[in-house]
Amino acid sequence: MKTFNVAIVGLGTVGSGVYKILKQKASLLAHRAGVRIRLVAACDNDAKKRRALNLSRSIAVRDLRQVVNDPKIDCIVELIGGKGIAKKLILDAFKNGKDVVTANKALLAECGKEVFAAAKRSDRQIYFEASVGGGIPVIKSLRESLVSNDISSILSIINGTANYILTRMSIDKMDFKQALKLAQHKGYAEADPSFDIEGIDSAHKITILSEIAFGKSVSLKEVYCQGITHIDEADIEFADEVGYVIKLLAIAKQTKGGIEIRVQPTLLPKDHILASVNGSFNAIYLHGDETGDMLLYGRGAGSRPTASAVVSDIIDLAKVRCANAPLLPYPAFAPISAKKLVDIESRYYLRFSVIDKPGVLSQISSLLGKQGISISDVMQRERKAGRVVPLIVLTHEAYEKNLRAAIKQIDRLKCIKKRTQVLRIEE
Ligand SMILES: NC(=O)c1ccc[n+]([C@@H]2O[C@H](COP(=O)([O-])OP(=O)(O)OC[C@H]3O[C@@H](n4cnc5c(N)ncnc54)[C@H](OP(=O)(O)O)[C@@H]3O)[C@@H](O)[C@H]2O)c1
C-alpha cells in the first residue's frame, strides 16, 4: 500500500482532533482509502499543546519552518488560522511541492483568489472542506455530488455561536448579554466573540459558498454584514407572537439583477425548515435546478466534527496523489459585483418606539405609503397613554431603498423616541 506523508501545523481545537482521528483510526482509514496516511510531523509553537497530545519525539515539532522545508512531507494541514503566518505557510508549501488542507475561512474568503492562483502555478492543490459548516460536507456536496445542478439559492445558518445565543434568547427568554455569557461558559463562544456575533465569520463562509456554488466570486467587502448584537429580547417575543423566529442567516442568491449576498438577522416563519435549527447546530438549505430543495444539517464547529472534514480532505488528496484519483478543478474566481442592498426586495419587520397617543399609526403608515410600502400586520400590545411603547409593523414586499427613505423620515417624527429596529423577513 502506498503512503501519503502528512504534517499538521496547529494543534489547537481542530488540529488536536485531526491528530486523534489519524491516530485512532489509522487502519480503518487505510482500508477505506487504499492509501496509508502517515503523520510525520505535528507542529505547534505551544509546548503545552504538544505535551497534551503525548506526541512521540519523532513527530513533535515546534518550528513550522522545519515542516515546510521537509522534502518527505506530501501535504501540510494548516490549522493555525489567521491571514499572516498561515498564508505564508500555505504559499511556501506550494512552492516546496506540497498540497495543503485548511479550515481557514478568513484566509480563503479574503485571499482565496491569490491562494488558488499560487496553488495552480505550483501545480498543487488546496482542499478546504472544514472552512464552512465544520463537519457538514457542504463543499464536497457542491463540487461533486451536486455537479449537475445550477444552484440558485443558499440560505444558511453557519455560525453556531450566534445560533446558540439566538436560541437561548428565544427558548429561555434570556437577554443578549446573558445568552452570550452562557455561550462563553459552554465553550461555544470565544472570549472575544466579535467575529461570530457581528456576522463576520458568516460573511467569510457565505463568500466561500457562493464562489463554489455559483462559480463567481464576490469580494468580501461587498457582502452586506449585520450581526445580532442589536437584537432585543422584545424582537424575539414580538416575532414569536406573529409566527416567526429570528435567525442569523447567511444568504446567497442568483437573481436577474446579480448575486444577492448578505448576512443578517432575519425573521423566518416557524414552519420554515431552518426555523428548527437550534443551539450550536448549522444548516445549509440549497436549491438546485435538478435536485430541488435540499438541507445539509449538522455540527458546524468543534474539535472532532471539524477534524472529520479535514481528514476527509487528507484522504481525497492521498487518493489523488497515490491512487490516481482525478483532481478537482480549481475554483473559478470569476469576479462579479454583488447586487446592491438598496435594490433588494424583501418583507420587513419594523419596531417603532412611539409615544402612545392617537394618530401615531396614521403618520407612520402615511410615510410608508408615500414610498409605496404597504403594511401586512400591526401590533401594539402595551397601552401606556403618553408613554413610549413598541409598535410593530410587518410590511409586504418592498425595495430596501424605499424602506430606508421612509424610515429616515419616520425617525424624524416627534412621536418617535428611538431609532427604528428594521429586520428582514424571509419566507
Ligand atoms: N474551532 C473550530 O471549531 C473551527 C471550526 C471550523 C474552522 N476552524 C478554523 O480552523 C483553524 C484552527 O482553529 P482552532 O479553533 O483549532 O484554533 P486554535 O485552537 O487557536 O489552534 C491554533 C493553534 O495553532 C497554534 N499556532 C499559532 N501560530 C503558530 C505558529 N506560527 N506555529 C505553530 N503553531 C502555531 C496556536 O498556538 P498558540 O495558541 O500558542 O498561538 C494554537 O495551538 C482556524 O482557521 C479556524 O477558523 C475552526
Side-chain angles (χ1 to χ4, degrees):
M1 194 181 273
K2 289 191 177 165
T3 300
F4 190 61
N5 289 333
V6 169
I8 306 171
V9 182
L11 299 170
T13 307
V14 184
S16 61
V18 173
Y19 171 78
K20 287 173 191 164
I21 294 180
L22 291 181
K23 192 170 172 211
Q24 291 160 4
K25 297 189 171 168
S27 49
L28 177 83
L29 292 172
H31 173 69
R32 289 184 177 166
V35 178
R36 198 183 319 281
I37 309 297
R38 189 155 68 102
L39 184 66
V40 291
C43 167
D44 200 295
N45 54 8
D46 180 351
K48 266 194 267 159
K49 302 256 175 48
R50 300 196 302 272
R51 273 199 301 273
L53 291 172
N54 221 356
L55 302 175
S56 71
R57 272 173 170 269
S58 62
I59 65 164
V61 175
R62 191 189 65 82
D63 185 345
L64 59 79
R65 282 172 301 183
Q66 222 176 302
V67 172
V68 86
N69 292 321
D70 183 342
K72 69 176 175 300
I73 292 171
D74 300 308
C75 173
I76 289 190
V77 182
E78 180 279 306
L79 294 169
I80 59 181
K83 290 165 284 177
I85 296 167
K87 181 171 163 191
K88 184 168 181 342
L89 169 67
I90 290 172
L91 298 181
D92 287 348
F94 295 150
K95 277 188 209 145
N96 291 350
K98 301 175 196 319
D99 292 308
V100 171
V101 171
T102 185
N104 196 332
K105 57 245 172 178
L107 178 65
L108 293 182
E110 287 193 36
C111 318
K113 192 173 176 183
E114 181 190 348
V115 168
F116 282 97
K120 200 171 180 180
R121 273 199 305 279
S122 305
D123 197 20
R124 291 296 98 190
Q125 281 290 333
I126 173 164
Y127 280 16
F128 50 96
E129 181 62 67
S131 63
V132 183
I136 305 170
V138 60
I139 302 290
K140 197 172 175 114
S141 298
L142 286 169
R143 296 178 93 187
E144 299 182 50
S145 316
L146 298 170
V147 68
S148 65
N149 284 263
D150 276 331
I151 305 294
S152 54
S153 70
I154 303 171
L155 292 189
S156 59
I157 295 173
I158 41 182
N159 185 275
T161 307
N163 200 43
Y164 182 82
I165 291 171
L166 290 174
T167 304
R168 296 281 67 87
M169 288 175 76
S170 171
I171 295 175
D172 303 328
K173 313 287 175 223
M174 290 183 176
D175 66 24
F176 177 80
K177 275 189 185 157
Q178 287 171 318
L180 171 60
K181 219 170 162 190
L182 184 64
Q184 284 168 325
H185 177 71
K186 296 234 173 202
Y188 295 136
E190 308 267 333
D192 175 4
S194 36
F195 260 48
D196 296 320
I197 61 177
E198 303 288 358
I200 300 161
D201 177 74
S202 295
H204 287 149
K205 292 168 179 168
I206 197 70
T207 303
I208 297 171
L209 280 185
S210 75
E211 161 59 38
I212 303 305
F214 308 146
K216 289 167 194 149
S217 168
V218 172
S219 155
L220 180 65
K221 287 184 207 124
E222 286 193 58
V223 179
Y224 178 79
C225 180
Q226 192 186 12
I228 58 167
T229 48
H230 65 299
I231 299 295
D232 198 287
E233 58 269 37
D235 296 317
I236 305 242
E237 247 176 68
F238 289 128
D240 180 56
E241 282 189 34
V242 284
Y244 292 87
V245 293
I246 299 180
K247 295 287 182 190
L248 182 65
L249 288 195
I251 299 172
K253 291 180 186 173
Q254 301 221 57
T255 70
K256 280 190 193 134
I259 290 185
E260 196 178 308
I261 180 162
R262 55 201 159 98
V263 174
Q264 290 172 325
T266 308
L267 271 75
L268 280 178
K270 285 182 190 171
D271 60 359
H272 192 286
I273 197 156
L274 289 178
S276 54
V277 176
N278 282 328
S280 61
F281 277 92
N282 281 201
I284 299 115
Y285 183 51
L286 310 163
H287 186 88
D289 61 343
E290 306 297 344
T291 58
D293 292 337
M294 169 173 294
L295 183 73
L296 297 159
Y297 170 89
R299 293 258 172 229
S303 182
R304 297 295 277 242
T306 311
S308 154
V310 171
V311 171
S312 150
D313 277 349
I314 296 172
I315 298 292
D316 280 352
L317 279 168
K319 288 196 222 164
V320 166
R321 300 300 177 203
C322 304
N324 292 325
L327 267 176
L328 289 176
Y330 296 100
F333 283 100
I336 188 166
S337 292
K339 189 171 174 178
K340 293 204 167 44
L341 190 70
V342 286
D343 295 329
I344 288 172
E345 228 182 335
S346 170
R347 291 189 60 212
Y348 292 90
Y349 159 100
L350 310 171
R351 175 166 54 82
F352 300 103
S353 298
V354 300
I355 296 281
D356 189 10
K357 62 176 188 186
V360 167
L361 181 59
S362 72
Q363 287 184 68
I364 290 174
S365 59
S366 141
L367 288 171
L368 288 170
K370 275 189 189 151
Q371 293 295 331
I373 300 164
S374 61
I375 291 174
S376 72
D377 235 319
V378 177
M379 185 167 61
Q380 186 183 358
R381 225 182 13 192
E382 298 163 60
R383 299 280 329 160
K384 293 178 188 165
R387 304 262 299 276
V388 179
V389 292
L391 170 69
I392 310 302
V393 168
L394 304 188
T395 74
H396 289 297
E397 291 268 324
Y399 281 104
E400 176 91 17
K401 55 175 167 272
N402 295 354
L403 186 97
R404 283 188 187 184
I407 296 297
K408 204 170 164 190
Q409 289 177 319
I410 292 170
D411 278 357
R412 284 196 200 121
L413 293 173
K414 274 198 179 141
C415 59
I416 298 287
K417 292 299 163 197
K418 258 195 205 162
R419 245 181 105 184
T420 297
Q421 173 76 297
V422 178
L423 298 172
R424 278 149 209 88
I425 302 174
E426 196 76 32
E427 297 295 345

